[in-house]
Amino acid sequence: MPPLPSLPGSSKQLRLYDTAAGSLVPVGPPTPGQVRMYVCGITPYDAAHLGHAATYLAFDVAQRVWRDAGHTVRYVQNVTDIDDPLLERANRDNVDWAALASQETQVFRDDMAALRIIPPEKYLGVIESMESIAEMVAKLLASGAAYQLDDGTADVYFDIKSASDFGYESRLDRAMMLNLFAERGGDAERAGKRDALDPLLWRGAREGEPSWPSSMGPGRPGWHVECSVIAVNELGMDIDVQGGGSDLLFPHHEMSAAHAEVAYGTHPFAKAYVHTGMIAWQGEKMSKSKGNLVFTSDLRRAGIDPAVIRLALLAGHYRANREWTEDLLAQAQTRLDQWRAAVLAVAGPDAAPVLAQVRENLADDLDTPGAIAAIDEWAFAVIADPEPETGSLQAPALIADTAEALLGISLR
Ligand code: 5CA
Ligand code: ZN
């Protein structure tokens, strides 16, 4: 748990862009209470890259705003510790898939800690949640919302027509859904499915693949159902935020919400569906499958202060698709040096308006560039006039606390 200084006053109600509504919506109660958030975790077949870091940072800033508003935050994340990409990588590299998963999960957790990301109360793996996942699939099967293929595989699919308002989260047309489904692991062409978009819920055991017992027969879960089960088991339905990168909107988040809504007969799965933009490098989305990656752990090993990485990523808005550059890192280093130098001053311009501005910016859909600009302005004023005749003696400490509590940047 990173240090979280308390600040005078409090943040106002956070507004975030909800993909399902297509607009900003208030998230969390208007007065101090509880916020429940589920964010999709990593598939640990490779080290975490800066795209992952950017996504978890966005939800970290949200959590900081909620805490500053006086809320308690219940936050859970899964770990996709069994899935096709993990098995494929383990096979390619001739390593044990379970060892690979636990090793990369540890690197990820260390990265998150170094970046001062407030950890979720639980990281839950698919394997440790297997019994509940199998129960959920069995329940969907028993209710007729899922069906088992009779081609000898015993694979189970979710019938998307059982979800009365399927598509409400992503609001895409069918052609677009089919495109994304094919691009992101779906099997539209599979014979025997009721609808090409029906997603896999349970994959019957295959030769050479790990499997777990269930009432459907031995096998392992499809991807989307793990997040429905882990989220609902830990946090219940009608959570405040389901979060992740924009690459998860369809089919993953749409399907996770639909599974849970159909299984529990209540609606919605989440009050707000929040999606971060994609970090690109060398012109293309950073992705494990493409291999154009900058790893957080490599930057750390090269001696780069994690606060610089954090500041570099926060310099862009979380919803914008944006390019990672060396320049971004250099600018963040300069900024951090300036901020650290400025808070060493004996006095500075009143910091209360800066805190108010940072809060205003962050409550407005996490405008971190705006919040950073507010602190820049204060720091430039101090650097321009380090020995002001009038100035607040409390200001440097309040600026340091503001940066630490709300942006996770330690200036001391
Ligand atoms: N385990 C699943 C979710 S259940 C998964 O998508 N894992 S992941 O390792 O591929 O991605 C973890 C998170 O990082 C997801 O929220 C994903 O949307 C996000 N992410 C992946 N690549 C990028 C990127 N280039 N920029 C921003 N976020 C990204
Ligand atoms: Zn997920």
Side-chain angles (χ1 to χ4, degrees):
M1 183 72 192
L4 270 183
S6 62
L7 298 168
S10 64
S11 277
K12 60 179 201 181
Q13 198 174 21
L14 174 62
R15 288 155 60 82
L16 291 174
Y17 185 87
D18 169 24
T19 308
S23 62
L24 296 190
V25 298
V27 184
T31 53
Q34 192 186 68
V35 180
R36 290 170 299 147
M37 172 163 75
Y38 179 84
V39 176
C40 282
I42 55 157
T43 306
Y45 65 84
D46 211 339
H49 57 66
L50 290 176
H52 301 129
T55 287
Y56 298 114
L57 255 178
F59 295 102
D60 181 64
V61 177
Q63 160 142 222
R64 287 166 184 274
V65 173
W66 287 321
R67 285 173 180 256
D68 186 52
H71 301 315
T72 52
V73 181
R74 297 216 45 215
Y75 174 26
V76 171
Q77 216 182 94
N78 68 312
V79 181
T80 308
D81 55 4
I82 178 70
D83 201 4
D84 295 343
L86 179 65
L87 295 176
E88 283 158 17
R89 176 61 62 93
N91 280 339
R92 188 197 81 178
D93 295 351
N94 204 16
V95 294
D96 176 53
W97 61 269
L100 176 64
S102 68
Q103 174 194 320
E104 297 303 352
T105 301
Q106 194 53 51
V107 175
F108 168 71
R109 295 180 66 151
D110 293 345
D111 284 346
M112 295 296 104
L115 290 173
R116 297 201 170 207
I117 288 176
I118 301 171
E121 61 189 76
K122 281 187 187 165
Y123 284 111
L124 275 167
V126 176
I127 295 171
E128 62 188 320
S129 312
M130 199 58 83
E131 237 173 274
S132 332
I133 297 174
E135 267 168 36
M136 166 89 135
V137 177
K139 184 175 175 179
L140 288 168
L141 198 53
S143 74
Y147 54 96
Q148 194 155 32
L149 298 191
D150 58 6
D151 58 2
T153 60
D155 291 351
V156 179
Y157 281 85
F158 178 71
D159 185 342
I160 56 166
K161 289 188 186 65
S162 67
S164 54
D165 55 357
F166 181 78
Y168 81 88
E169 182 177 334
S170 59
R171 299 178 301 131
L172 299 168
D173 62 27
R174 187 167 167 94
M176 192 64 184
M177 286 183 182
L178 282 165
N179 268 337
L180 293 175
F181 191 76
E183 202 177 291
R184 297 172 179 167
D187 53 359
E189 308 288 312
R190 178 83 188 265
K193 294 204 315 184
R194 291 179 189 165
D195 189 301
L197 290 173
D198 288 350
L200 181 71
L201 277 172
W202 188 261
R203 175 174 162 90
R206 304 289 203 278
E207 184 76 37
E209 286 184 12
S211 63
W212 288 261
S214 83
S215 61
M216 294 81 62
R220 60 185 169 93
W223 174 25
H224 320 302
V225 68
E226 73 187 63
C227 288
S228 326
V229 171
I230 294 173
V232 176
N233 272 0
E234 295 300 321
L235 301 171
M237 286 294 284
D238 201 23
I239 56 177
D240 294 286
V241 171
Q242 180 195 30
S246 58
D247 58 338
L248 297 187
L249 171 59
F250 194 88
H252 183 56
H253 283 179
E254 188 84 59
M255 299 297 181
S256 294
H259 293 341
E261 285 159 0
V262 170
Y264 297 100
T266 65
H267 197 280
F269 173 62
K271 291 190 179 82
Y273 298 95
V274 178
H275 294 99
T276 58
M278 292 291 110
I279 302 294
W281 193 48
Q282 300 172 333
E284 262 196 284
K285 173 198 159 185
M286 239 183 238
S287 80
K288 290 186 271 202
S289 46
K290 289 201 195 86
N292 58 331
L293 306 174
V294 181
F295 294 116
T296 309
S297 48
D298 283 349
L299 295 180
R300 287 168 52 215
R301 223 170 294 130
I304 293 166
D305 184 339
V308 171
I309 305 173
R310 191 170 167 119
L311 206 44
L313 289 169
L314 292 179
H317 190 263
Y318 81 95
R319 279 204 286 131
N321 294 328
R322 52 209 198 275
E323 176 88 15
W324 175 259
T325 59
E326 290 286 316
D327 239 23
L328 222 45
L329 209 52
Q331 284 160 13
Q333 181 69 64
T334 304
R335 171 172 283 134
L336 185 66
D337 293 344
Q338 285 166 337
W339 288 10
R340 284 185 173 158
V343 298
L344 289 177
V346 179
D350 186 10
V354 181
L355 170 57
Q357 186 62 51
V358 168
R359 280 181 168 145
E360 187 72 31
N361 288 130
L362 296 183
D364 178 19
D365 201 25
L366 306 178
D367 176 9
T368 53
I372 288 172
I375 298 181
D376 271 349
E377 202 182 318
W378 183 90
F380 295 155
V382 172
I383 291 164
D385 183 10
E387 285 172 39
E389 273 170 27
T390 59
S392 154
L393 294 172
Q394 289 82 37
L398 183 55
I399 291 292
D401 283 350
T402 299
E404 176 107 54
L406 294 173
L407 295 174
I409 302 291
S410 185
L411 299 182
R412 295 185 171 98

